[in-house]
Amino acid sequence: NSHFNSPSMASMSTAFPKTTPFLSHPLAKSDSLIATTVSFPSSSRSRSLRRATLRVRSALIEPDGGKLMELVVPEPRRREKKHEAADLPRVKLTAIDLQWMHVLSEGWASPLRGFMREAEFLQTLHFNSLRLDDGSVVNMSVPIVLAIDDEQKALIGESKRVALVDSDDNPIAILSDIEIYKHPKEERIARTWGTTAPGLPYAEEAITNAGNWLIGGDLEVLEPVKYNDGLDRFRLSPFELRKELEKRGADAVFAFQLRNPVHNGHALLMTDTRRRLLEMGYKNPILLLHPLGGFTKADDVPLSWRMKQHEKVLEDGVLDPETTVVSIFPSPMLYAGPTEVQWHAKARINAGANFYIVGRDPAGMGHPVEKRDLYDADHGKKVLSMAPGLERLNILPFRVAAYDKTQGKMAFFDPSRAQDFLFISGTKMRGLAKNKESPPDGFMCPGGWKVLVDYYDSLSLSGNARLLEKVPV
């Protein structure tokens, strides 16, 4: 990654550099082992664990299966592999297929070594986990599969290897020791989302009209995945994130998954989490602010605008750049609620996080047909607290934050004076931004709010369609 070869790692306290990721000077290395014993927070996994103790260590949590599955071909062998790919049957990838290939190639889904074969697919679909050869269990809640149609299946024939190609028909990966099996679309949708109602954004985009077969196998990606959209410098792999977190001497890493602009309520949750970890005995907790970078539904703010908004949040000091690493998580978004939030948590273990912040209705959405939420707002955090394969991860549920009219800022909700609080929903926030109205002072930093207003202004100029062109970041 270009960042790690660059001498420039300037602090963002005064200016935000346009040539480096959202990273600042690494902090001084903390002691390699801090001889402190602390209790789990009351929000940790289960009542039986609340009195357990943990050792505060600076070593990062191990990836699932004990090793990151980095599936990019080493530089010396790339030419040879490209020659091999040229003679193989071809499978063309969609944009979402490419995002999942990216996820696999960097080890976010470790210990997976490629697109799922049928045994892995069925375990994921029915158990939300994978059993390894040694009998241990790792979490895996969403299928990472590749669909092909009847014609592609016929062209593959008896071959045990295929080349994966991009939209321009250029080979970008090889899938070996392949297995082709039926694509049970209805079962996949029902078990992933808990409904087969029409209008599920990801299902309509990637499943309903996909091929009737799935192809799995061992993946070799010919070169690191790049999107050439001006944001590649922010896409740090799990290995690169671990390297940066170790540079900073992190003895705890707490991850925050988001697909929306950051307002001051989010910031309050993140800064309060760091305070809680310091009280537990950690010396240098680092926040991994990890916006989702893959497919999102049409009414979500596009990635390039979200990244520009996050830049302003750090510029304005709402979050401390010295204790925050901002990087793009390349996964597509399924909006599959408690099922998907397990994937979001599991992937962050592979990036080195041992604490995960979970909020109300994580990965949720409105029901596609009825006027209600698709999932119970509390089920995500409850499922995470007992999900198989996530026992090593400490779950930190949100405290509810709202706008406190008496203080003129975002604060934790106090039910004893509920009348003092204003809840500003995402719908209301978008409506204010579209109408170029200002939210209450203290809801979002002014620079970040201006980015949001500019985005919706650009939509109106382009005829209310989702803006396709990239904004400079």
Side-chain angles (χ1 to χ4, degrees):
N1 185 281
S2 59
H3 163 68
F4 290 106
N5 297 324
S6 168
S8 173
M9 288 187 65
S11 171
M12 295 177 297
S13 58
T14 54
F16 194 90
K18 297 186 182 299
T19 57
T20 56
F22 295 161
L23 304 172
S24 56
H25 288 299
L27 301 180
K29 181 74 175 175
S30 64
D31 293 338
S32 59
L33 175 63
I34 302 165
T36 306
T37 303
V38 297
S39 296
F40 278 105
S42 60
S43 57
S44 283
R45 303 193 54 81
S46 69
R47 192 167 297 171
S48 63
L49 283 176
R50 287 178 187 173
R51 293 185 179 87
T53 58
L54 59 89
R55 299 287 288 176
V56 181
R57 305 179 67 95
S58 65
L60 299 180
I61 189 172
E62 282 194 349
D64 276 343
K67 180 183 177 183
L68 280 176
M69 291 293 120
E70 296 182 278
L71 306 178
V72 178
V73 174
E75 176 70 43
R77 300 194 62 203
R78 288 178 189 168
R79 178 175 293 187
E80 167 198 343
K81 288 292 180 180
K82 287 177 183 178
H83 282 304
E84 290 179 21
D87 297 326
L88 296 174
R90 298 186 166 204
V91 172
K92 184 166 287 191
L93 301 185
T94 66
I96 290 179
D97 292 335
L98 178 65
Q99 291 165 13
W100 283 122
M101 189 191 81
H102 184 183
V103 164
L104 290 166
S105 74
E106 294 184 341
W108 295 102
S110 296
L112 283 184
R113 304 184 67 92
F115 287 102
M116 290 177 174
R117 298 182 177 89
E118 188 174 36
E120 294 164 325
F121 172 70
L122 291 175
Q123 287 182 72
T124 296
L125 210 58
H126 292 272
F127 310 132
N128 286 174
S129 59
L130 298 174
R131 187 171 296 281
L132 306 185
D133 291 342
D134 64 2
S136 63
V137 170
V138 298
N139 193 270
M140 182 59 67
S141 63
V142 299
I144 302 181
V145 291
L146 179 59
I148 59 173
D149 59 24
D150 293 352
E151 182 181 356
Q152 289 173 309
K153 181 177 183 291
L155 289 172
I156 292 168
E158 298 300 315
S159 176
K160 297 304 292 179
R161 304 171 78 209
V162 297
L164 308 183
V165 302
D166 63 15
S167 58
D168 296 323
D169 219 31
N170 299 312
I172 54 177
I174 294 173
L175 203 61
S176 301
D177 192 19
I178 63 172
E179 178 183 342
I180 297 175
Y181 55 101
K182 287 184 179 179
H183 185 184
K185 297 181 190 179
E186 184 177 17
E187 182 183 7
R188 178 183 172 191
I189 292 169
R191 294 198 72 91
T192 303
W193 283 273
T195 181
T196 55
L200 297 167
Y202 182 93
E204 293 201 340
E205 183 76 21
I207 300 177
T208 305
N209 297 316
N212 294 322
W213 304 92
L214 297 174
I215 180 171
D218 294 333
L219 183 66
E220 296 174 288
V221 178
L222 302 182
E223 289 185 353
V225 176
K226 300 295 179 187
Y227 296 81
N228 301 313
D229 58 356
L231 299 174
D232 282 330
R233 67 190 185 275
F234 304 126
R235 293 182 174 96
L236 303 185
S237 70
F239 175 80
E240 290 166 333
L241 281 169
R242 285 171 172 270
K243 183 177 176 182
E244 177 63 26
L245 293 164
E246 287 170 354
K247 272 187 181 180
R248 298 200 185 199
D251 60 353
V253 180
F254 57 109
F256 187 79
Q257 147 83 29
L258 70 167
R259 69 175 195 271
N260 292 307
V262 173
H263 57 63
N264 290 352
H266 296 138
L268 174 64
L269 294 163
M270 290 181 268
T271 54
D272 187 65
T273 297
R274 188 168 197 275
R275 177 192 62 77
R276 291 166 63 191
L277 291 173
L278 289 168
E279 287 179 353
M280 287 172 62
Y282 290 97
K283 302 299 183 185
N284 189 23
I286 298 293
L287 165 65
L288 173 57
L289 185 65
H290 216 194
L292 181 135
F295 165 84
T296 53
K297 55 190 174 69
D299 60 348
D300 280 344
V301 177
L303 176 65
S304 56
W305 288 91
R306 284 186 278 126
M307 294 298 284
K308 191 173 179 68
Q309 193 269 349
H310 299 344
E311 168 189 341
K312 296 300 181 184
V313 168
L314 284 149
E315 271 187 2
D316 288 2
V318 177
L319 294 172
D320 181 1
E322 292 295 332
T323 58
T324 304
V325 175
V326 182
S327 179
I328 295 171
F329 177 45
S331 176
M333 186 78 197
L334 278 68
Y335 306 91
T339 297
E340 184 177 10
V341 75
Q342 296 173 66
W343 159 242
H344 291 167
K346 174 248 171 47
R348 275 41 181 249
I349 291 176
N350 287 331
N354 56 335
F355 289 87
Y356 186 81
I357 304 174
V358 60
R360 180 191 179 278
D361 196 20
M365 58 172 282
H367 193 283
V369 177
E370 303 171 17
K371 290 187 176 180
R372 60 179 177 86
D373 286 344
L374 184 53
Y375 306 108
D376 185 293
D378 290 330
H379 281 184
K381 65 184 179 185
K382 289 179 179 178
V383 165
L384 276 188
S385 72
M386 52 190 173
L390 294 182
E391 292 83 3
R392 298 183 298 142
L393 188 66
N394 299 288
I395 307 303
L396 300 171
F398 275 2
R399 293 170 62 191
V400 177
Y403 187 78
D404 187 339
K405 293 179 286 187
T406 65
Q407 299 185 53
K409 66 178 184 179
M410 298 297 286
F412 291 120
F413 177 67
D414 181 354
S416 69
R417 52 184 188 90
Q419 71 281 358
D420 294 337
F421 288 87
L422 177 65
F423 286 89
I424 301 174
S425 67
T427 300
K428 182 173 179 63
M429 180 180 73
R430 287 190 292 270
L432 291 171
K434 287 174 185 175
N435 296 326
K436 298 184 181 180
E437 299 176 28
S438 296
D441 287 344
F443 173 73
M444 184 184 291
C445 66
W449 184 255
K450 184 178 184 305
V451 171
L452 206 55
V453 171
D454 288 348
Y455 165 62
Y456 286 110
D457 194 35
S458 68
L459 281 185
S460 63
L461 292 174
S462 64
N464 263 339
R466 177 166 173 170
L467 192 66
L468 296 179
E469 62 185 86
K470 302 293 185 293
V471 62
V473 178

